[in-house]
Amino acid sequence: EDGRMHLCSRFGGVGVLCAGMLLWGWPTNCAAAEPLPDSAIRLSPAQWQQLDTVVDRGLKYLADHQRTDGSFEAPPVGQPAITSFCVMAFLSRGHVSGQGPYGEQLSRAIEYVLSSQQPNGLLCRLRPGGGEWKIFGAYHHPIAGLMLSEVYGMTDAPQHMRIRAAIEKALLFSRREQTKPRRYPQDKWGWRYLARSSTGAELSITVWELMFLRPAKNAEFDVPNVHIAEALAFVRRCYDPQRGSFSYGLRGRKRTLFSRSMAGAGILSLSLAGEHQTDIAQQTARFILDHPFDRFNRGGLTEEDRYYYGAYYCSQAMCQLGGENWQQFYPGLLRTFAENQRENGAFDREANQDGPLGFCYSTSLAILALTPPYQLLPIYQR
């Protein structure tokens, strides 16, 4: 068993998950009985066992730190994005809302995220107008939208309809933000912080918005292809051939900020358009391999180089590329996380300015960085 085990026999709740993906038009490998080709994701039996153990311990920690309102522990500035990350962490292991050992907890978490939507469609619990709302709200919205798009079709009928209404409103909000006037033509079609007017755009928020639009489109919501194509054009403009990776933005200080998270985000965005094997993707993969995650919870490139956020994006990106890129990247990541997991299943808080976001933030992102081999979250399937 040097490849993936057949997923539908590996997890008790996966059959329902696969049925939901098939119903809404998501690609799925769960029905495939034959082994994947050489370029696919491969783990040894010992690595599978290590992965299962680390992920299950992490999920147990998250389950033990859910609040009565359905949210997972985090400061107010971190909601609902952190609860959304936690929900996706459970989904990535095959757990679904309303079924199995975590079904009721997941249902309550989804309701919490739904209750976070503001009248204008923004998925955010922060009060409009403040500095935290402006910056953090721009991330909360697409992250929560991504999660809701992933669970759409996997919940009971009443919750399903509430999710549908929330996604429809959220998509309208995203498009309004995408089409705001920009001072510079190159920033057109990208996203920026929340404000009445926005002069620029940045890759970090744009990629999250793309990852919300794509599963929403797969779930048959009204997302015209041109909206995704426009955003991808901005992503490509952020590529710097001299550095061999993606910058945070297109001008000024943002053009000088390179991080592993933006490298992974760039590849992942291209993969949504089927551009896995382009020169840009391959060169950025080399950038990632040159900056491994073997120094646990450490950045090192720029102040923007967050460890867990970077590991999350890079793992998903290298999974999309597969082959040697995956084989050179993932075993070291799995080993590093396994060696540094706390006794209670958590992972240390982020060592930089994101530390106050707490243990559920770091633990959920660590799980999402580790679970690409399961191939269960539709948006990240190869």
Side-chain angles (χ1 to χ4, degrees):
E1 185 186 305
D2 62 350
R4 293 187 314 161
M5 293 181 68
H6 183 42
L7 292 176
C8 286
S9 64
R10 197 167 168 78
F11 309 109
V14 168
V16 174
L17 183 63
C18 295
M21 292 189 286
L22 290 169
L23 176 63
W24 297 108
W26 283 317
T28 175
N29 293 324
C30 291
E34 67 277 0
L36 294 173
D38 289 341
S39 62
I41 310 163
R42 291 191 169 195
L43 296 180
S44 69
Q47 287 171 324
W48 274 119
Q49 181 60 52
Q50 187 176 53
L51 172 60
D52 291 347
T53 300
V54 172
V55 169
D56 288 343
R57 291 180 63 211
L59 292 177
K60 177 63 165 57
Y61 174 86
L62 294 179
D64 290 343
H65 290 79
Q66 186 179 27
R67 294 166 171 159
T68 55
D69 64 359
S71 68
F72 290 87
E73 286 184 2
V77 75
Q79 298 292 7
I82 291 175
T83 292
S84 298
F85 281 140
C86 291
V87 171
M88 289 191 289
F90 284 96
L91 296 179
S92 74
R93 181 64 164 111
H95 299 286
V96 294
S97 173
Q99 300 185 41
Y102 301 120
E104 190 274 334
Q105 288 183 269
L106 289 174
S107 182
R108 289 193 293 114
I110 293 167
E111 287 298 323
Y112 173 83
V113 174
L114 288 171
S115 72
S116 304
Q117 190 166 47
Q118 299 181 12
N120 64 354
L122 173 66
L123 290 160
C124 178
R125 300 186 78 86
L126 298 172
R127 181 172 298 177
E132 290 182 342
W133 168 84
K134 177 181 177 181
I135 297 174
F136 288 95
Y139 289 96
H140 289 307
H141 179 76
I143 292 169
L146 167 62
M147 184 278 288
L148 292 175
S149 298
E150 295 288 70
V151 301
Y152 181 70
M154 302 178 192
T155 60
D156 60 27
Q159 193 173 64
H160 172 83
M161 296 308 296
R162 289 193 294 276
I163 292 172
R164 181 175 185 84
I167 291 174
E168 288 174 341
K169 291 175 63 177
L171 287 171
L172 291 174
F173 181 89
S174 290
R175 183 58 177 173
R176 290 194 298 269
E177 290 293 308
Q178 187 184 17
T179 55
K180 281 183 175 178
R182 308 294 177 184
R183 179 182 300 174
Y184 303 101
Q186 283 190 318
D187 288 325
K188 194 174 184 180
W189 309 124
W191 280 264
R192 179 67 170 143
Y193 297 141
L194 302 178
R196 289 188 177 180
S197 62
S198 190
T199 58
E202 62 183 41
L203 182 61
S204 181
I205 298 169
T206 298
V207 172
W208 280 120
E209 288 283 358
L210 264 172
M211 291 205 296
F212 168 34
L213 296 184
R214 185 53 188 266
K217 180 176 179 59
N218 288 349
E220 300 184 349
F221 285 89
D222 183 18
V223 181
N225 288 334
V226 66
H227 295 183
I228 295 176
E230 290 166 346
L232 283 169
F234 171 77
V235 172
R236 295 187 191 97
R237 290 195 290 270
C238 290
Y239 179 75
D240 185 332
Q242 291 186 329
R243 183 63 72 101
S245 188
F246 291 82
S247 63
Y248 191 71
L250 293 177
R251 60 189 45 81
R253 182 172 174 270
K254 290 194 289 290
R255 190 62 176 175
T256 68
L257 295 177
F258 291 85
S259 66
R260 292 172 291 190
S261 56
M262 291 302 93
I267 293 176
L268 197 55
S269 297
L270 296 178
S271 74
L272 296 179
E275 299 179 14
H276 304 69
Q277 303 304 327
T278 60
D279 288 342
I280 291 178
Q282 293 300 319
Q283 289 171 15
T284 307
R286 287 194 288 273
F287 177 93
I288 293 173
L289 292 176
D290 287 341
H291 300 90
F293 290 83
D294 52 358
R295 295 182 64 241
F296 179 69
N297 203 12
R298 294 294 182 270
L301 294 178
T302 69
E303 64 183 276
E304 299 297 323
D305 194 35
R306 291 154 166 82
Y307 184 81
Y308 295 103
Y309 191 48
Y312 160 77
Y313 263 138
C314 289
S315 184
Q316 304 292 348
M318 298 303 253
C319 170
Q320 291 296 321
L321 297 182
E324 286 300 312
N325 287 314
W326 171 257
Q327 292 300 331
Q328 291 181 47
F329 173 83
Y330 185 80
L333 182 76
L334 174 59
R335 182 173 58 253
T336 299
F337 275 120
E339 291 173 352
N340 289 279
Q341 189 175 28
R342 290 183 168 214
E343 287 292 327
N344 64 357
F347 289 90
D348 290 346
R349 297 171 186 260
E350 184 79 54
N352 63 15
Q353 60 263 45
D354 286 344
L357 293 177
F359 289 101
C360 286
Y361 171 78
S362 56
T363 302
S364 61
L365 282 181
I367 292 169
L368 287 167
L370 291 173
T371 50
Y374 296 143
Q375 287 285 274
L376 290 176
L377 275 176
I379 184 63
Y380 300 125
Q381 288 194 335
R382 300 181 75 250

